[in-house]
């Protein structure tokens, strides 16, 4: 129900922005590609919300640092990308740190029963797999079909709304959810705030990726994770061990090194535009020969430049 509410608000926002920007409502990519993202996005969102019942919020936030591995694997499968030893080393450092954090301290939420944290961790794994596919396929749509962020938001959220509504109807919880919302006005207000926050997050993520690149997004998400985890530990008093602290340091050290390395050693994308600058050279020569006498050039010099075949003719 929460996922469905989020998607409805996102659709309304996307429609409004498309009208303001004067963009076309026609889908830029095949509909099945939007639907593929929608299915994976709904599954990822469901697993993310459901996992909070069984694991603490800091564990979920830190678990999202696992996203590097699934994204790299999906990028190899979907886009045929290749990664060097440094990239795999950074991903391994993050994975090691997350694993150490999860195995050396308390991971289940206070309201969950014993053993339920294992189920929560399985939900997190499903979230990572689906979320990795979502972001990789979204990047593919941006590059191959030149979709705008609002066009992609509209069709992906429309598909997600259909999927989440279908799941809600199939579960038979529609009336129960509506009754609960009607009986608890605070829930309606909180759901609206959550939906607004989710749409704002979508806007900034799309904007960062499309306008500033994935590196700016990675740096922003790293900072967000650090602040969120530390804030949760301070506010809710989650216990933390020395080994968990070491794992936490290892995770964010690897993530921030990746950001630093990206700034100091950017990938060579610029040389691709250089060969286009060589093409105008033959055009200048052709113009000098085909046109008449240029200012400051003697007729004798022009006669020398003319091909011999033209004299024979």
């Amino acid at each position: 129900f929460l996922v469905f509410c989020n998607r409805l608000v996102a659709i309304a926002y996307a429609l409004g922005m498309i009208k303001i920007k004067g963009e076309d409502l026609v889908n830029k990519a095949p509909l099945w590609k939007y639907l593929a993202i929608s299915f994976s996005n709904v599954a990822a969102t469901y697993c993310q919300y459901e996992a909070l019942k069984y694991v603490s919020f800091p564990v979920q936030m830190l678990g999202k640092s696992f996203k590097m591995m699934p994204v790299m694997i999906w990028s190899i499968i979907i886009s045929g990308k290749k990664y060097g030893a440094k990239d795999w080393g950074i991903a391994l450092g993050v994975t090691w740190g997350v694993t150490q954090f999860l195995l050396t301290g308390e991971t289940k939420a206070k309201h969950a029963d014993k053993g339920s944290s294992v189920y929560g961790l399985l939900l997190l794994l499903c979230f990572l797999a689906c979320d990795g596919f979502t972001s990789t396929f979204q990047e593919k749509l941006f590059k191959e079909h030149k979709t705008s962020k609002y066009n992609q938001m509209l069709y992906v959220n429309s598909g997600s709304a259909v999927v989440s509504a279908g799941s809600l109807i199939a579960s038979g919880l529609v009336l129960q959810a509506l009754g609960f919302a009607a009986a608890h006005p605070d829930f309606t207000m909180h759901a609206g705030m959550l939906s607004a926050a989710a749409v704002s997050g979508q806007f900034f993520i799309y904007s960062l990726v499309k306008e500033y690149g994935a590196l700016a997004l990675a740096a922003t998400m790293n900072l967000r994770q650090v602040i969120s985890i530390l804030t949760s530990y301070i506010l809710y008093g989650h216990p933390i061990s020395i080994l968990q602290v070491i794992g936490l340091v290892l995770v964010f050290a690897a993530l921030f090194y990746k950001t630093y390395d990206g700034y100091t050693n950017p990938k060579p994308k610029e040389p691709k535009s250089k060969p286009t600058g060589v093409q105008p050279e033959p055009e200048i020569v052709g113009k000098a020969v085909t046109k008449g006498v240029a200012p400051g050039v003697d007729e004798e010099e022009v006669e020398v430049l003319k091909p011999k075949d033209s004299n024979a003719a």
Side-chain angles (χ1 to χ4, degrees), residues 28-29 57 67 73 87 101 141 162 174 177 202 254 260 265 276 296:
K28 303 297 181 181
F57 177 74
K67 289 172 66 173
I73 294 173
D87 296 318
F101 183 90
L141 260 64
V162 173
V174 179
Q202 282 192 39
Y260 171 79
N265 301 304
T276 57

Side-chain angles (χ1 to χ4, degrees), residues 90-159:
I90 293 172
L92 179 61
V94 173
T95 304
W96 185 288
V98 172
T99 303
Q100 179 169 321
F101 183 90
L102 297 178
L103 296 180
T104 57
E106 188 69 25
T107 61
K108 69 182 181 65
K110 292 181 178 180
H111 53 268
D113 54 38
K114 294 182 179 180
S116 62
S117 61
V118 176
Y119 178 65
L121 295 178
L122 290 177
L123 287 171
L124 278 180
L125 289 177
C126 293
F127 161 77
L128 292 170
C130 295
D131 188 68
F133 174 84
T134 300
S135 58
T136 304
F137 216 65
Q138 283 178 331
E139 181 182 1
K140 190 178 180 67
L141 260 64
F142 274 128
K143 291 183 177 179
E144 290 188 356
H145 301 283
K146 308 299 180 184
T147 61
S148 70
K149 54 188 174 185
Y150 302 116
N151 179 273
Q152 196 167 147
M153 284 180 68
L154 173 63
Y155 282 93
V156 170
N157 283 288
S158 296

Side-chain angles (χ1 to χ4, degrees), residues 158-225:
S158 296
S160 299
V162 173
V163 174
S164 57
S167 302
L168 192 61
I169 294 173
S171 63
L173 298 175
V174 179
L175 295 178
Q176 182 178 346
L178 293 176
F180 183 86
H184 301 82
D186 290 343
F187 169 79
T188 304
M189 182 184 67
H190 292 160
M193 293 173 60
L194 180 63
S195 298
V199 173
S200 301
Q202 282 192 39
F203 170 77
F204 286 115
I205 289 174
Y206 279 115
S207 299
L208 280 171
V209 173
K210 190 173 181 64
E211 299 173 17
Y212 298 98
L215 187 60
L217 175 64
T220 305
M221 295 301 291
N222 291 349
L223 181 61
R224 167 180 172 265
Q225 287 172 341

